[in-house]
Amino acid sequence: MIQESELKTFVEGTTNYFEVAAQQPASIGSPYLVTEGQPSVHEYTGVINITGKREGVVYFTAPKAMLTVLLMKMQESDFSHETMRDLVGEVANTISGNARKDFGRDFVISVPSVLTGEKPEIPAMPGLRSFVIPINWRSHSAKLVVALK
Amino acid sequence: MNAVNGNTGNGARRTYKLMIVDDSNIMRRRIERSQNFEELEVVGTASNGVEALELFKKMDPDLVTMDLTMPQMDGIECIENLVKLKPAVRILVISALADKATAVEAMEKGANGFLNKPFTDRQLNEAIAELIR
Amino acid sequence: MNFSGADRKRQLVTVGVGTVLMLVMAGVLIAGFRLATQMNANVAALQTASALQTYPNTLVAQLTSLRDRLETRAYSGQALADLRATVEKFDREMKQLGEFSHSPQFEQAQALWQQYSPVLDPVIDFTDQPYVDSDEEGSTLSPEGRTHYADVKRAQLFTQENSEPLQALLAGLSTQLQTEASTGANRLRVLLSAGVLAALVLAAAAAWFQLTRGRSERLAREAQEQTRDILRTVKEGFFLLDADYKIGSVWSDALTRLFGRSDFAGLAFEELLKDLVPPATLATAMKYIKLLWGERAHENLMKSINPLGQLEIHVETASGAREARYLQFDFHRVMGPKGVKHVLVSVGDITSSVLLAKELQESQENANQQVDMMLGVMHIDPVQLMSFLDSTETGLQLVNAILKEPARTDAEFRKKLDGLFRELHSIKGEASALNLMSVAHRTHALEDMVTELKKRPELSGNDFLPLVLKLDDLLAHLRSVRELATRLSNLRESAPTEARGGRSSGKGGTDELSRTLQSLAERLAKDHNKKFRLSVSGLADIPRAYVPTLKDVLIQMLRNSAVHGIEPAEVRRANTKSDVGEVRIEFRKSADGFELMFEDDGAGLLPEQLKAAAVRKQIVTPEEAAAMDTRAAMALIFRPGFSTQEQVSMDAGRGVGMDVVAKSVYAIGGKIGVTTNPGKFTRFKVSLPASEETSTAVA
């Protein structure tokens, strides 16, 4: 069973990114479970696969509008598709780094991959419930999804 | 560190040539934009280890910021190569990989500093200051 | 501890003082000895000089006596012998005196004495017979005797004449010798006094040094003792590493306890760890130690990358068993004038805290796996159990739906608590009634968490994380209860699956879906004190791939209807509607796929209210809102952010998570639309493409 500390590590990795990169903290919304199938995603999704002590996926999925504002806050002027991909990749990278720091070698964490579109092929985790943690930042909302065995 | 500013007189200051290596565009631009050292001149950016090596040979930078997880030759291997080419080069590792073994490995291969992603502008500038003073 | 420098200095001072003392004493002794010898000689000389003073008169007397004897023809042999002896003695003593006195008085005395010589020599050299004996004249002077007599007479006169001057000269000499002697004595006195004084001063200095040395030695000893006490008592292992990564000669006793060995002096750090950690960790650790000496990285950076912050090692216990321990190593550079001199290493045993954390985790995991449900499950009627499980799962779906409502503010989070509590409380009641304590306990724990949250002054999403984890745990538990129950009923063969409503029949769980929706409807009606009927049709035709999404969608819509759509009975009555509301769900094939219809005969949506809410939430500008027709206004409820704020003030709205619903419909390639007649009904229509699964099924 997934531990609260583990969940918190992923959440902190995410909120921390907003706080540090955009100098504006993100808050987490009301968390919930997706008991069947996969949670819906936004346009840009950064995925890390986890093996080792735990197995599963963790992903950060955000709408384009949120990423645009985030880039603006980071004083970026390039809002291309590539830049958006870059950005969710960085967020996922940070989540993975944070997890490695906290869990050390117990977790084998993949290099993040970035998926786009409304129906990306996120590796299915049959029989696993997903924890969905909304990440609210300014008026926007992204999601952190944690599905671990 | 042999590039000396052409100005003479009291105000003469070293300039350092900085190369930024990161596979993320945003990150490259962010570092370039956020560093606020007058004596730093960004001479190039690279998005992977192979590119970095090429650019390094051409531009001979004094300072390098280095991501660790990149396609085509990862950061650690790249550090090793850069130090071979120029032992006096100073390398700041900027990575989200925060585990101890990676950090020790990077330092051992010749890195001079370690900065965790994500970072604030202030943290970045402090880390760079640590390297050039 | 480093006293060796001060020690050496102190030693040097002591040796120096001793040497100076010895040199001074030797100087004083030698000088004193020489002075004393000289004085001794002086005294002898003085005696001689004093004795010599009498000799001139003695000479006169003896010459007179000799003359008398010669004149009286008496025996002169003895007198001559006496004279000779006196002269010899005079000569000898003058010579002696001459050996250490070269004063003018002596020179003059000697010169005068030398004048005696020619006068006295003939007298004392006389050896013949002075007399001739004849009968006629008796004894007379012989010719030699006459000459002798003349010599004696001359000598007598000479000595008489010179006796006084010579005596005076000798007296002067002895006075001078006396002065010299007393000067010598004074010198000796001064020398001795100075010597004694110097010796005293040096002895005092030596004593003082000895005293301070004693004190500093005592301090050093005390410091050493204290250090020893610290090293003996401290719980952490402390030692210094030198530049060869070897352990120094001092370490705290705890190290022995930590590593089960005591041969640390000179032990290589690598050796210490070699058998305790895997090679990869050892390699990283050694690289790290090397970096510490490099001084390339500052202390904070080094601290942050310390790979031995929590090291698991295995040590042999007294009984020979291998035991896991967790050690925490800290490294601090000790700087010397030439860079890093040592590295101070502290090692702490954090086993208990690590184990405690692990135990907590394990007990939590164990609780999850405990099969205390077993007994409970076996005694419950299978049909009753399955119906309980269905109802509980529905209840938990509802719990999850409440959680799923977006929330940002404290008020939004707080609003959830009552609903959560109500659902959990009723599940707990049912579980207790069935005596399913494993479920009841878990639900109770969740309920407690909700009660606890109510007391918090400020709520945020973080506070809900443990709740979701517990909910997940409870769902997992229910699943295992269900598995167990299925296995039990298979064993009994008394309850074929059909008896429970065809749960495992092949229709993708759609019967389960309608049951879930029915039980949810009952539950919602009860919870919100509303009256309505749910009718469903065609749900069995839902392709398997769509079931999870549509289940979520329908639960959300049903909740909206129950909470916001269906009016309380008295309101309905006042509006000439029947007391009991109607909610209809229909699923059917359409020309190009499927269609899901959801309708309630509740209050409906008011376009103007929707527009006003959207403006308030800054989703659209007032100008944009004004330009919207009814259709566009309706579509606002699917806009992201529409339902995420100010829900507390939106009592009349229908905006509970409709953007989320729309999103999940889009995710499976569908479309969603809404039509409404204020006061009469709200109807959602979801169009879905023909799924792959159905096309193959049709083919």
Side-chain angles (χ1 to χ4, degrees), chain A residues 1-8 11 27-37 40-43 53-54 63 118-119 127-129 131-141 143, chain C residues 361 364-365 368 397 400 402-408 413 416 460-462 464-466 468-473 475-476 479 547-548 551-552 641 644-645 660 663-664 666-669:
Chain A
M1 190 186 130
I2 186 165
Q3 299 298 310
E4 188 182 347
S5 61
E6 289 164 350
L7 213 50
K8 280 212 162 131
V11 171
S27 65
I28 79 163
S30 181
Y32 58 94
L33 291 170
V34 170
T35 52
E36 278 165 276
S40 62
V41 295
H42 298 285
E43 290 99 315
K53 189 181 162 197
R54 298 236 181 277
E118 300 271 334
K119 281 170 78 179
L128 269 191
R129 282 177 293 276
F131 287 88
V132 181
I133 298 122
I135 304 293
N136 299 323
W137 184 72
R138 295 167 73 100
S139 67
H140 303 276
S141 193
K143 278 193 279 196
Chain C
Q361 190 178 330
Q364 252 174 332
E365 277 169 9
N368 187 33
Q397 294 281 8
N400 198 35
I402 294 171
L403 287 171
K404 202 168 174 177
E405 280 175 34
R408 281 174 182 246
F413 282 111
K416 295 166 184 277
S460 75
N462 272 314
F464 283 74
L465 280 179
V468 182
L469 282 159
K470 275 269 178 236
L471 179 63
D472 178 56
D473 176 42
L475 282 170
R479 186 183 290 181
V547 171
K551 185 176 171 186
D552 266 6
T644 55
Q645 287 177 332
V660 180
K663 201 116 237 169
S664 45
Y666 301 150
I668 54 173

Side-chain angles (χ1 to χ4, degrees), chain B residues 100 103 105 107-108 111 130, chain C residues 287 291 296-298 304-306:
Chain B
K100 309 288 163 65
E105 181 83 11
M107 299 292 293
E108 196 237 350
E130 199 73 52
Chain C
K287 282 176 192 168
L291 284 172
R296 198 142 38 90
H298 55 89
S304 73
I305 64 171
N306 174 8

